[in-house]
mmCIF file of all heavy atoms in Angstrom:
data_model
loop_
_atom_site.group_PDB
_atom_site.id
_atom_site.type_symbol
_atom_site.label_atom_id
_atom_site.label_comp_id
_atom_site.label_asym_id
_atom_site.label_seq_id
_atom_site.Cartn_x
_atom_site.Cartn_y
_atom_site.Cartn_z
ATOM 1 N N ALA G 1 17.319 -2.542 -7.896
ATOM 2 C CA ALA G 1 16.705 -3.556 -7.001
ATOM 3 C C ALA G 1 16.816 -4.950 -7.491
ATOM 4 O O ALA G 1 17.145 -5.160 -8.702
ATOM 5 C CB ALA G 1 15.380 -3.270 -6.710
ATOM 6 N N ILE G 2 16.577 -5.907 -6.656
ATOM 7 C CA ILE G 2 16.409 -7.323 -6.957
ATOM 8 C C ILE G 2 15.023 -7.674 -6.374
ATOM 9 O O ILE G 2 14.402 -6.859 -5.740
ATOM 10 C CB ILE G 2 17.439 -8.179 -6.495
ATOM 11 C CG1 ILE G 2 17.552 -8.122 -4.865
ATOM 12 C CG2 ILE G 2 18.849 -7.977 -6.953
ATOM 13 C CD1 ILE G 2 18.422 -9.044 -4.337
ATOM 14 N N GLY G 3 14.562 -8.776 -6.895
ATOM 15 C CA GLY G 3 13.215 -9.159 -6.339
ATOM 16 C C GLY G 3 12.758 -10.490 -6.901
ATOM 17 O O GLY G 3 13.546 -11.252 -7.554
ATOM 18 N N GLY G 4 11.474 -10.744 -6.832
ATOM 19 C CA GLY G 4 10.936 -12.057 -7.313
ATOM 20 C C GLY G 4 9.483 -12.061 -7.359
ATOM 21 O O GLY G 4 8.781 -11.248 -6.774
ATOM 22 N N VAL G 5 8.931 -13.175 -7.874
ATOM 23 C CA VAL G 5 7.532 -13.509 -7.847
ATOM 24 C C VAL G 5 7.399 -14.920 -7.384
ATOM 25 O O VAL G 5 8.036 -15.818 -7.895
ATOM 26 C CB VAL G 5 6.913 -13.299 -9.252
ATOM 27 C CG1 VAL G 5 5.500 -13.697 -9.180
ATOM 28 C CG2 VAL G 5 7.122 -11.864 -9.776
ATOM 29 N N ILE G 6 6.632 -15.178 -6.399
ATOM 30 C CA ILE G 6 6.324 -16.548 -5.982
ATOM 31 C C ILE G 6 4.884 -16.840 -6.491
ATOM 32 O O ILE G 6 3.906 -16.193 -6.233
ATOM 33 C CB ILE G 6 6.217 -16.533 -4.369
ATOM 34 C CG1 ILE G 6 7.608 -16.157 -3.793
ATOM 35 C CG2 ILE G 6 5.914 -18.063 -3.944
ATOM 36 C CD1 ILE G 6 7.599 -15.949 -2.231
ATOM 37 N N ASP G 7 4.763 -17.910 -7.281
ATOM 38 C CA ASP G 7 3.484 -18.278 -7.770
ATOM 39 C C ASP G 7 3.140 -19.761 -7.155
ATOM 40 O O ASP G 7 4.147 -20.521 -7.063
ATOM 41 C CB ASP G 7 3.629 -18.374 -9.278
ATOM 42 C CG ASP G 7 2.284 -18.473 -10.029
ATOM 43 O OD1 ASP G 7 1.307 -18.054 -9.329
ATOM 44 O OD2 ASP G 7 2.230 -18.664 -11.211
ATOM 45 N N GLY G 8 1.956 -19.873 -6.963
ATOM 46 C CA GLY G 8 1.556 -21.275 -6.432
ATOM 47 C C GLY G 8 1.437 -21.357 -4.944
ATOM 48 O O GLY G 8 1.218 -22.412 -4.391
ATOM 49 N N CYS G 9 1.632 -20.221 -4.273
ATOM 50 C CA CYS G 9 1.574 -20.205 -2.773
ATOM 51 C C CYS G 9 0.045 -20.369 -2.333
ATOM 52 O O CYS G 9 -0.735 -19.614 -2.877
ATOM 53 C CB CYS G 9 2.156 -18.961 -2.214
ATOM 54 S SG CYS G 9 2.103 -18.950 -0.283
ATOM 55 N N PRO G 10 -0.322 -21.338 -1.513
ATOM 56 C CA PRO G 10 -1.625 -21.554 -1.063
ATOM 57 C C PRO G 10 -2.206 -20.200 -0.420
ATOM 58 O O PRO G 10 -1.480 -19.410 0.217
ATOM 59 C CB PRO G 10 -1.598 -22.655 -0.070
ATOM 60 C CG PRO G 10 -0.304 -23.253 -0.448
ATOM 61 C CD PRO G 10 0.644 -22.215 -0.865
ATOM 62 N N PRO G 11 -3.433 -19.944 -0.447
ATOM 63 C CA PRO G 11 -4.062 -18.864 0.277
ATOM 64 C C PRO G 11 -4.141 -19.030 1.725
ATOM 65 O O PRO G 11 -3.952 -20.185 2.234
ATOM 66 C CB PRO G 11 -5.463 -18.744 -0.342
ATOM 67 C CG PRO G 11 -5.817 -20.205 -0.691
ATOM 68 C CD PRO G 11 -4.520 -20.827 -1.182
ATOM 69 N N LEU G 12 -4.344 -18.053 2.450
ATOM 70 C CA LEU G 12 -4.596 -17.946 3.912
ATOM 71 C C LEU G 12 -3.220 -18.394 4.720
ATOM 72 O O LEU G 12 -3.369 -18.781 5.932
ATOM 73 C CB LEU G 12 -5.743 -18.868 4.324
ATOM 74 C CG LEU G 12 -7.052 -18.512 3.684
ATOM 75 C CD1 LEU G 12 -8.133 -19.556 4.132
ATOM 76 C CD2 LEU G 12 -7.480 -17.114 3.967
ATOM 77 N N VAL G 13 -2.065 -18.291 4.206
ATOM 78 C CA VAL G 13 -0.902 -18.427 4.865
ATOM 79 C C VAL G 13 -0.604 -17.128 5.605
ATOM 80 O O VAL G 13 -0.567 -16.137 5.011
ATOM 81 C CB VAL G 13 0.285 -18.826 3.966
ATOM 82 C CG1 VAL G 13 1.524 -18.776 4.800
ATOM 83 C CG2 VAL G 13 0.022 -20.129 3.234
ATOM 84 N N GLU G 14 -0.425 -17.165 6.970
ATOM 85 C CA GLU G 14 -0.193 -15.840 7.653
ATOM 86 C C GLU G 14 1.220 -15.498 7.474
ATOM 87 O O GLU G 14 2.141 -16.270 7.771
ATOM 88 C CB GLU G 14 -0.496 -16.157 9.120
ATOM 89 C CG GLU G 14 -1.983 -16.393 9.483
ATOM 90 C CD GLU G 14 -2.274 -16.512 10.822
ATOM 91 O OE1 GLU G 14 -1.373 -16.219 11.713
ATOM 92 O OE2 GLU G 14 -3.431 -16.793 11.201
ATOM 93 N N ILE G 15 1.362 -14.253 7.024
ATOM 94 C CA ILE G 15 2.797 -13.838 6.674
ATOM 95 C C ILE G 15 3.384 -13.019 7.804
ATOM 96 O O ILE G 15 2.765 -12.038 8.137
ATOM 97 C CB ILE G 15 2.799 -12.906 5.472
ATOM 98 C CG1 ILE G 15 2.301 -13.705 4.173
ATOM 99 C CG2 ILE G 15 4.121 -12.236 5.151
ATOM 100 C CD1 ILE G 15 3.218 -14.890 3.790
ATOM 101 N N ASP G 16 4.278 -13.600 8.414
ATOM 102 C CA ASP G 16 4.999 -13.015 9.635
ATOM 103 C C ASP G 16 6.209 -12.152 8.985
ATOM 104 O O ASP G 16 7.293 -12.753 8.805
ATOM 105 C CB ASP G 16 5.482 -14.034 10.617
ATOM 106 C CG ASP G 16 6.083 -13.649 11.850
ATOM 107 O OD1 ASP G 16 6.438 -12.452 11.806
ATOM 108 O OD2 ASP G 16 6.313 -14.336 12.715
ATOM 109 N N GLU G 17 6.067 -10.950 8.824
ATOM 110 C CA GLU G 17 7.015 -10.083 8.281
ATOM 111 C C GLU G 17 8.270 -9.954 9.259
ATOM 112 O O GLU G 17 9.391 -9.751 8.743
ATOM 113 C CB GLU G 17 6.459 -8.668 7.922
ATOM 114 C CG GLU G 17 5.439 -8.643 6.877
ATOM 115 C CD GLU G 17 5.264 -7.309 6.174
ATOM 116 O OE1 GLU G 17 6.024 -6.387 6.502
ATOM 117 O OE2 GLU G 17 4.415 -7.258 5.385
ATOM 118 N N ALA G 18 8.072 -10.053 10.647
ATOM 119 C CA ALA G 18 9.178 -9.977 11.466
ATOM 120 C C ALA G 18 10.142 -11.194 11.293
ATOM 121 O O ALA G 18 11.281 -11.072 11.334
ATOM 122 C CB ALA G 18 8.717 -9.933 12.841
ATOM 123 N N PHE G 19 9.360 -12.324 11.013
ATOM 124 C CA PHE G 19 10.236 -13.636 10.756
ATOM 125 C C PHE G 19 11.024 -13.526 9.469
ATOM 126 O O PHE G 19 12.210 -13.852 9.408
ATOM 127 C CB PHE G 19 9.341 -14.800 10.745
ATOM 128 C CG PHE G 19 9.909 -16.077 10.360
ATOM 129 C CD1 PHE G 19 10.888 -16.676 11.140
ATOM 130 C CD2 PHE G 19 9.705 -16.638 9.068
ATOM 131 C CE1 PHE G 19 11.501 -17.984 10.795
ATOM 132 C CE2 PHE G 19 10.353 -17.849 8.701
ATOM 133 C CZ PHE G 19 11.313 -18.390 9.553
ATOM 134 N N ILE G 20 10.367 -12.992 8.463
ATOM 135 C CA ILE G 20 10.997 -12.782 7.112
ATOM 136 C C ILE G 20 12.204 -11.792 7.170
ATOM 137 O O ILE G 20 13.270 -12.143 6.780
ATOM 138 C CB ILE G 20 10.003 -12.260 5.961
ATOM 139 C CG1 ILE G 20 8.966 -13.213 5.771
ATOM 140 C CG2 ILE G 20 10.704 -11.991 4.803
ATOM 141 C CD1 ILE G 20 7.830 -12.793 4.925
ATOM 142 N N ARG G 21 12.071 -10.788 7.978
ATOM 143 C CA ARG G 21 13.187 -9.784 8.210
ATOM 144 C C ARG G 21 14.275 -10.572 8.939
ATOM 145 O O ARG G 21 15.511 -10.287 8.734
ATOM 146 C CB ARG G 21 12.669 -8.629 8.990
ATOM 147 C CG ARG G 21 11.783 -7.724 8.234
ATOM 148 C CD ARG G 21 11.578 -6.316 8.865
ATOM 149 N NE ARG G 21 10.790 -5.393 8.068
ATOM 150 C CZ ARG G 21 9.479 -5.438 7.995
ATOM 151 N NH1 ARG G 21 8.769 -6.139 8.783
ATOM 152 N NH2 ARG G 21 8.795 -4.586 7.144
ATOM 153 N N ALA G 22 13.930 -11.331 9.890
ATOM 154 C CA ALA G 22 15.003 -11.898 10.712
ATOM 155 C C ALA G 22 15.857 -12.953 9.755
ATOM 156 O O ALA G 22 17.102 -13.059 9.943
ATOM 157 C CB ALA G 22 14.422 -12.789 11.880
ATOM 158 N N GLU G 23 15.174 -13.637 8.857
ATOM 159 C CA GLU G 23 15.770 -14.520 7.882
ATOM 160 C C GLU G 23 16.632 -13.803 7.035
ATOM 161 O O GLU G 23 17.834 -14.137 6.683
ATOM 162 C CB GLU G 23 14.752 -15.260 7.026
ATOM 163 C CG GLU G 23 13.954 -16.372 7.988
ATOM 164 C CD GLU G 23 14.925 -17.455 8.438
ATOM 165 O OE1 GLU G 23 15.205 -18.424 7.570
ATOM 166 O OE2 GLU G 23 15.284 -17.475 9.540
ATOM 167 N N MET G 24 16.163 -12.506 6.478
ATOM 168 C CA MET G 24 16.971 -11.787 5.716
ATOM 169 C C MET G 24 18.166 -11.139 6.290
ATOM 170 O O MET G 24 19.257 -11.126 5.614
ATOM 171 C CB MET G 24 16.083 -10.603 5.104
ATOM 172 C CG MET G 24 14.836 -11.020 4.336
ATOM 173 S SD MET G 24 15.200 -11.674 2.720
ATOM 174 C CE MET G 24 15.677 -10.329 1.800
ATOM 175 N N ALA G 25 18.075 -10.886 7.521
ATOM 176 C CA ALA G 25 19.279 -10.417 8.307
ATOM 177 C C ALA G 25 20.347 -11.400 8.491
ATOM 178 O O ALA G 25 21.502 -11.131 8.548
ATOM 179 C CB ALA G 25 18.717 -9.909 9.751
ATOM 180 N N ARG G 26 20.049 -12.626 8.473
ATOM 181 C CA ARG G 26 20.993 -13.727 8.545
ATOM 182 C C ARG G 26 21.834 -13.830 7.356
ATOM 183 O O ARG G 26 22.931 -14.285 7.402
ATOM 184 C CB ARG G 26 20.326 -15.074 8.823
ATOM 185 C CG ARG G 26 19.619 -15.094 10.156
ATOM 186 C CD ARG G 26 18.712 -16.397 10.341
ATOM 187 N NE ARG G 26 19.666 -17.616 10.351
ATOM 188 C CZ ARG G 26 19.383 -18.699 9.803
ATOM 189 N NH1 ARG G 26 18.105 -18.914 9.140
ATOM 190 N NH2 ARG G 26 20.173 -19.857 9.762
#
């Protein structure tokens, strides 16, 4: 696998997994 850790992201950001999947598909 590959992966990562994002540190410093502000709280209460709504995570749209469908949008993330669309970006990954590109």
Side-chain angles (χ1 to χ4, degrees):
I2 58 173
V5 177
I6 303 169
D7 200 9
C9 182
L12 303 179
V13 175
E14 294 186 7
I15 297 299
D16 184 345
E17 293 197 10
F19 173 73
I20 297 174
R21 286 190 178 89
E23 291 293 282
M24 299 291 286
R26 295 171 65 214

